[in-house]
Amino acid sequence: MQKEKKKINLVDIIIIVLILAVALFFGMKFFGGEKATANKSDITFTVLVQGVPKQSLDDISKALPGKQISDGKYIDCEIKSVESSPCKVDKIEKTNTDPYVKTTILPDQNDEYVDLTFTVSAKVVAASLLTEVGTQEVRVGRSFILKTRGFELTGTVITLNRTDSK
């Protein structure tokens, strides 16, 4: 018996092209092909963190400027600087959920605490309606987690400036 050589017919070619098209589609969808090639906008925003212990300020200042971390990797966002001012609140309650600890800062303790204003710059997708930095949305009045290798604080976005890059 002789072996017959198989010829590729039209149906085989169509199936191969379809498989490659589906693989390319899912590859672009899951590996960020659209975001990687998208036009970027520069944003600068400030985040106010109230009631931070004064003793933490030196360590925070030494870690700046610092790259922001999200999902265990660096993102296109940098915490540029921090300014401190006296804590001007009557009462702050902070909750740590694991283990559950509730801290209250009262006016007579204000000299031990400061309010910090961080200046942050980042690049975001220009065409997006959302201003997303990593997995967080940046919008005035919204909470924002400042996370670097050296510290993690949660504050409120108080200003946001967005400019389009060329």
Side-chain angles (χ1 to χ4, degrees):
M1 267 183 145
Q2 289 184 344
K3 290 186 180 180
E4 249 180 69
K5 289 187 177 180
K6 290 193 176 190
K7 294 182 180 179
I8 296 179
N9 61 28
L10 185 61
V11 174
D12 293 335
I13 293 172
I14 291 173
I15 291 172
I16 291 170
V17 169
L18 278 173
I19 291 171
L20 289 174
V22 169
L24 181 64
F25 171 77
F26 283 111
M28 293 294 283
K29 184 81 171 165
F30 291 112
F31 296 114
E34 183 179 323
K35 284 188 178 180
T37 60
N39 289 333
K40 299 282 187 169
S41 288
D42 293 319
I43 64 168
T44 301
F45 57 101
T46 55
V47 178
L48 174 64
V49 181
Q50 295 179 301
V52 177
K54 276 186 179 178
Q55 64 192 31
S56 300
L57 183 57
D58 286 338
D59 291 333
I60 292 169
S61 296
K62 289 175 188 173
L64 297 181
K67 295 286 282 183
Q68 179 88 358
I69 296 173
S70 179
D71 289 335
K73 60 185 174 198
Y74 290 112
I75 58 173
D76 201 1
C77 177
E78 186 174 27
I79 303 169
K80 297 285 191 180
S81 62
V82 63
E83 293 179 16
S84 67
S85 59
C87 190
K88 298 178 184 176
V89 295
D90 293 331
K91 181 179 179 181
I92 294 177
E93 289 187 359
K94 293 186 175 191
T95 304
N96 184 355
T97 57
D98 189 23
Y100 184 75
V101 176
K102 190 172 189 177
T103 305
T104 304
I105 300 168
L106 299 172
D108 62 337
Q109 298 172 326
N110 275 352
D111 61 338
E112 298 174 26
Y113 295 88
V114 292
D115 292 340
L116 301 179
T117 304
F118 291 88
T119 302
V120 184
S121 65
K123 291 195 179 292
V124 296
V125 177
S128 176
L129 291 176
L130 302 176
T131 306
E132 290 180 312
V133 173
T135 57
Q136 299 183 80
E137 184 178 349
V138 179
R139 195 180 295 195
V140 172
R142 223 180 141 124
S143 293
F144 189 84
I145 299 171
L146 298 160
K147 185 175 183 180
T148 68
R149 284 187 71 178
F151 65 88
E152 180 174 345
L153 297 168
T154 302
T156 304
V157 177
I158 56 175
T159 66
L160 172 62
N161 296 309
R162 184 173 177 159
T163 57
D164 291 325
S165 297
K166 291 186 177 183

